[in-house]
Amino acid sequence: MKKLFTLLLLLCAMTSILQAQPQGRPGKGDMKGKAYGKVFDVISGKPLEFVVIRVYKEDSVLIKQQNVNPITGGLTDGKGEFLLIDLPLNTPLTLRFSFSNSDAPYSTFVLKPSGQMSMGGIEKDLGNFRLKFGTDLATIQVEGGGMRLEFDKRIYDVDKNPMNSGGTAEDVLRNIPSLTVDSDGNVSLRNTAPQIFVDGRPTTLTIDQIPADAIQRVELITNPSAKYDASGGGGGIVNIVMKHNRTNGYNGSVRAGIDRRGRMNGGFDMNYRQGKINFFLNGNANQRRSISIGTTDRFNYSPNFQLNQSQYNLNDGLFLTGRGGIDYLLDLRNTFTVSGSMSKGSFAPMDTLNVLTDTLSGGNSSYFRESTTKREFQNFGASILYKHLFTKEGTELSADVNFNRIQSHFTGDYYTLYNDFDAVQQRQLGDVSQYLITSQLDFESEISERFRLEAGGRFSIRDFTSQYNNSTLGNGIWTDITSLFVNYHYVDQVGAAYTTAAFDLPSWKIKTGLRVETSNYKGELLSTNQNFEYQYKLSLFPSLFVTRVLSEKQDVQFALNRKINRPSFMQLQPFTDYSDSLNIQRGNPNIKPEFTQTAELSWQWIPNKKNTIIVSAYGRYTQNVTVRQQNIEYSENLADSVVVTTYENASSSQALGLEFVSRNNLFKILELNTNLNIYNSSIDGTNLDANLKNNINSFWVKSSLNVKLPNGKGKITLGGKVFQLIPNNTSIQAMVDYSSKRALEVGSSERGGGGGGMGGMGMGGGGGMWGGSTNTVQGYVEPTYGLDVSIRKEFLQNKSLVVAFSATDILKTRVNVIHSNSPYFEQTTFKRRDWQMFRFTVSWRFGKMDAQLFKRKNMGGGEGGMEG
């Protein structure tokens, strides 16, 4: 029966297309193009197969009144995808969707040149269509505006955002709703640190090492299912998807830019596909000059003294990144991908620090410190991916293996001059080497029309070695401080297996899953022969998602899951950092992982294609919260009692919040995006001290206004000449954000800064340079706000040349002021970084999709333009 139904649909589609065939062959001057898209059912969200698509030159009124013939047409496949070819350019076209004797509303579009006119092969991605078919004509939703919604995530297209041009992933994430990025580049999702993924896998790169121009989109997963890693502590996942085009022929882009400090950036993307081979390559080079200023004011209880210090930091850096690979389409059901990546760079910060200490008994002392440090790093990665599509509809298998090798080298020279003109010179040398290997297997199958099953496994191993040597200069000779020498090695292994089951009912969507993980950590301090081991044999992480479809325009979703946050290397390494005698730090190899339970209830309303509203209530409860704790102990190196900051597990923490996200298109040229987050954070550390409790109510709001200036408007005539007051093909964006007083981020290592003391490489940035550790149970961050503006203009007929200008922190108001206290001191730190930064960038897209050059025989087979 199904075969007969399919045959009838194909016959109807072919009849319409044959009736529309032009007589004779087009001349060389007749430019043609193609368009593609994807069709989903608005209720179930599933792709629709066998939808007949007809293309007309007439509008919908004439189509209904007259018996006109389409110029071409097509049929959606099992994934809901369709491809339309031989389309005329610069001509208004109307799409008509038909399925099972019923129609959906018409949709119009214009195919405009987007490549070199002489080359042909113009194409357009029409996006996703969400249709409802029935006895009455229903609604159609075309996703756009830079944000798309899927069952378990929100997707933001960022490649055309002018605010990101010439920047890094740090600039990109700062513009994403629900995310905040502080002055040190720390990312927070609802006041908790999320996992950062690149192309669906955990990354070894930091966000300032990922060029913004190489990013296609960002996926935000607030409640990851059992399919994803359980690590992350309930902070969700931010998946950065890099540009990877699989369009036939060759295409790419080149770009260059400069900022107000004369630092340049540039890069390129290139894709070449012929037959079964697709080759991709991209590279980026970014120069950076970061400037920071800061102060610290501390009142110490034991011993009693008052300290005031100020700092100026100038950090020059260079990042080089490259990525390339080959997709080999063995046949329609098997694909192999082999890729490699490289990132290399260096930081060269220079610090000047002035410190004044008052002992409150009439005596005081001061010193001046100058630090010159340099860190060089390189990261080489390789991956192999295999994907197989089974003959059974909706069934596929994928497997991949990834390898990374990271190496870094650190040198630091420190010159300290005291008020009695006594000078001390110190040096630190450090080397870090690590290997990371991950392998993953995923299988999914559509058992029936209403039931889908997923299963898979993952294994990762990390081998990490670090060495640090400290020395001091005396009588022209460098002498090692053997008590501060460290040689640490650890191996961390994590194995996991998961399964999920999804039920797709007419008004309900249910997805449940279970993940099982085992982890083993073994560390050895080779300099002292100390061994450390921590093992969780089996941990269970269930997840549940329930969606109630209220109508084709709104639904309600409820999510539950359990996550883990394992201690980082910095938190585990049992090395004591004496770089600042007032801020001594040490890791704790005995701290336990955090376990977090999360819950979220969301309401989503999409009244039309111009407006989207999401309201979410969420909660998190965490046990064994990792916090920084101060203790007094006697130091043989300093021959005195000192305060040592280390890591401990507090009893628990919880967060309750309400989030509002909206996207509204106004007056055709305006788009307003608004994000409001109201939450309460509390932490219980009474297991460490009876008075260690904290509870703060906070909120933050972020809003961006995108203006697309109308073309052909604002013309005036003076002296017989016509002047265009409003430039064509121009868009403007303004973004403002405000954060109220908030608690210090729980379960992470938020600190007053990232200075470069002796230990800057090994122990979390030499916290002493910014006043030391601040992530204690007691403390808060002062309110802050900022304004960013950007302008983007497209040139040439095909809009392939783009010029962008962006300005961040225009008002010079983004500062980080942290108040913290402990039984031993009270402290306030102030930091400002890279204020009023301006960037100017130019980019050019090119491409050639010549059918004769590449001899493509099947325009509809294996098309990769709809990646994802």
Side-chain angles (χ1 to χ4, degrees), residues 157-263:
D157 296 315
V158 300
D159 61 320
K160 293 184 179 180
N161 190 326
M163 196 75 73
N164 305 328
S165 299
T168 66
E170 183 176 333
D171 303 289
V172 174
L173 299 185
R174 186 173 282 116
N175 284 279
I176 301 297
S178 301
L179 295 180
T180 59
V181 183
D182 67 14
S183 60
D184 291 313
N186 299 313
V187 182
S188 296
L189 172 58
R190 296 172 176 172
N191 205 41
T192 299
Q195 289 190 89
I196 304 297
F197 281 19
V198 172
D199 290 334
R201 296 290 185 264
T203 180
T204 56
L205 299 174
T206 58
I207 60 173
D208 60 354
Q209 296 174 3
I210 304 174
D213 295 306
I215 300 175
Q216 179 69 33
R217 63 181 183 270
V218 174
E219 299 175 347
L220 194 62
I221 308 172
T222 57
N223 265 285
S225 70
K227 181 177 181 179
Y228 298 95
D229 287 353
S231 57
I237 292 174
V238 176
N239 183 31
I240 299 173
V241 181
M242 310 301 286
K243 294 179 179 178
H244 185 176
N245 197 332
R246 293 192 179 96
T247 306
N248 279 303
Y250 73 83
N251 56 82
S253 66
V254 292
R255 53 193 171 270
I258 190 170
D259 64 25
R260 63 170 292 193
R261 293 175 182 152
R263 304 296 96 176

Side-chain angles (χ1 to χ4, degrees), residues 254-474:
V254 292
R255 53 193 171 270
I258 190 170
D259 64 25
R260 63 170 292 193
R261 293 175 182 152
R263 304 296 96 176
M264 295 182 290
N265 65 82
F268 71 92
D269 301 291
M270 193 183 91
N271 182 83
Y272 172 87
R273 179 176 175 182
Q274 180 178 6
K276 296 182 177 181
I277 300 294
N278 180 72
F279 172 76
F280 57 92
L281 179 68
N282 62 62
N284 294 274
N286 279 31
Q287 287 183 319
R288 292 192 65 188
R289 169 164 286 186
S290 179
I291 296 178
S292 303
I293 59 174
T295 62
T296 297
D297 298 303
R298 175 194 282 193
F299 182 83
N300 219 75
Y301 302 135
S302 179
N304 290 330
F305 65 85
Q306 183 171 332
L307 175 143
N308 307 100
Q309 67 180 29
S310 60
Q311 182 180 15
Y312 175 86
N313 176 279
L314 174 63
N315 190 351
D316 284 330
L318 173 65
F319 299 95
L320 302 173
T321 62
R323 180 172 176 266
I326 296 176
D327 300 312
Y328 178 58
L329 287 71
L330 183 63
D331 51 41
L332 293 177
R333 300 189 180 279
N334 296 278
T335 303
F336 290 91
T337 299
V338 179
S339 62
S341 62
M342 180 277 296
S343 61
K344 189 174 184 179
S346 63
F347 304 91
M350 295 183 62
D351 288 286
T352 57
L353 181 69
N354 290 282
V355 180
L356 174 64
T357 304
D358 186 351
T359 63
L360 307 182
S361 61
N364 60 70
S365 63
S366 64
Y367 66 86
F368 167 82
R369 169 178 285 185
E370 184 178 76
S371 306
T372 303
T373 59
K374 185 175 183 179
R375 180 190 172 194
E376 299 173 298
F377 70 90
Q378 57 184 14
N379 183 342
F380 295 97
S383 65
I384 301 175
L385 169 67
Y386 168 71
K387 187 171 185 179
H388 174 72
L389 302 178
F390 291 86
T391 55
K392 183 180 179 180
E393 188 68 31
T395 303
E396 64 180 55
L397 174 72
S398 62
D400 64 84
V401 178
N402 301 272
F403 171 81
N404 283 90
R405 182 187 180 188
I406 306 101
Q407 292 179 307
S408 58
H409 176 71
F410 174 83
T411 60
D413 288 308
Y414 310 91
Y415 175 80
T416 306
L417 180 64
Y418 294 91
N419 60 343
D420 59 359
F421 299 103
D422 184 21
V424 176
Q425 285 185 263
Q426 299 168 303
R427 173 175 292 172
Q428 184 183 55
L429 303 176
D431 289 284
V432 170
S433 176
Q434 64 172 312
Y435 298 87
L436 178 63
I437 301 175
T438 61
S439 59
Q440 184 155 331
L441 181 69
D442 298 291
F443 173 79
E444 61 178 275
S445 178
E446 188 175 293
I447 306 301
S448 67
E449 188 176 303
R450 300 291 185 184
F451 179 60
R452 173 173 289 272
L453 183 68
E454 293 179 323
R458 185 176 187 270
F459 178 77
S460 67
I461 181 170
R462 183 190 302 269
D463 189 295
F464 191 104
T465 302
S466 62
Q467 294 183 349
Y468 301 99
N469 183 44
N470 296 274
S471 57
T472 183
L473 182 64

Side-chain angles (χ1 to χ4, degrees), residues 95-170:
L95 288 180
R96 182 183 181 185
F97 300 89
S98 302
F99 181 73
S100 186
N101 297 322
S102 63
D103 285 348
Y106 301 88
S107 177
T108 61
F109 71 98
V110 177
L111 191 61
K112 295 183 178 181
S114 59
Q116 298 181 18
M117 289 293 296
S118 61
M119 301 301 181
I122 308 305
E123 65 178 42
K124 182 178 182 68
D125 184 355
L126 299 178
N128 294 338
F129 295 86
R130 297 189 179 276
L131 309 182
K132 180 181 179 182
F133 294 94
T135 55
D136 299 325
L137 293 182
T139 59
I140 178 172
Q141 299 175 16
V142 182
E143 300 173 344
M147 182 177 77
R148 307 196 303 275
L149 304 174
E150 293 189 3
F151 178 66
D152 60 348
K153 59 188 172 184
R154 302 199 295 262
I155 301 174
Y156 297 91
D157 296 315
V158 300
D159 61 320
K160 293 184 179 180
N161 190 326
M163 196 75 73
N164 305 328
S165 299
T168 66
E170 183 176 333

Side-chain angles (χ1 to χ4, degrees), residues 763-865:
M763 292 302 297
M769 295 299 96
W770 288 107
S773 310
T774 57
N775 189 28
T776 57
V777 175
Q778 302 284 355
Y780 64 91
V781 183
E782 285 192 1
T784 184
Y785 65 96
L787 172 66
D788 303 330
V789 175
S790 63
I791 302 174
R792 171 190 172 102
K793 180 170 175 56
E794 299 170 330
F795 294 89
L796 305 182
Q797 185 177 1
N798 55 15
K799 301 179 182 179
S800 60
L801 181 65
V802 178
V803 175
F805 171 81
S806 64
T808 58
D809 195 15
I810 294 176
L811 304 178
K812 198 178 178 181
T813 52
R814 285 201 181 102
V815 296
N816 202 24
V817 181
I818 299 177
H819 298 273
S820 58
N821 58 75
S822 76
Y824 312 110
F825 62 82
E826 294 181 6
Q827 179 172 283
T828 299
T829 63
F830 166 92
K831 183 182 180 182
R832 173 181 282 130
R833 181 174 77 113
D834 293 339
W835 57 93
Q836 296 178 336
M837 178 59 69
F838 308 138
R839 292 192 185 95
F840 177 82
T841 59
V842 179
S843 63
W844 176 61
R845 302 189 314 273
F846 61 88
K848 180 176 182 180
M849 288 70 71
D850 193 321
Q852 292 185 352
L853 176 64
F854 297 106
K855 300 179 180 179
R856 288 174 294 170
K857 298 181 180 179
N858 186 0
M859 292 290 292
E863 190 65 35

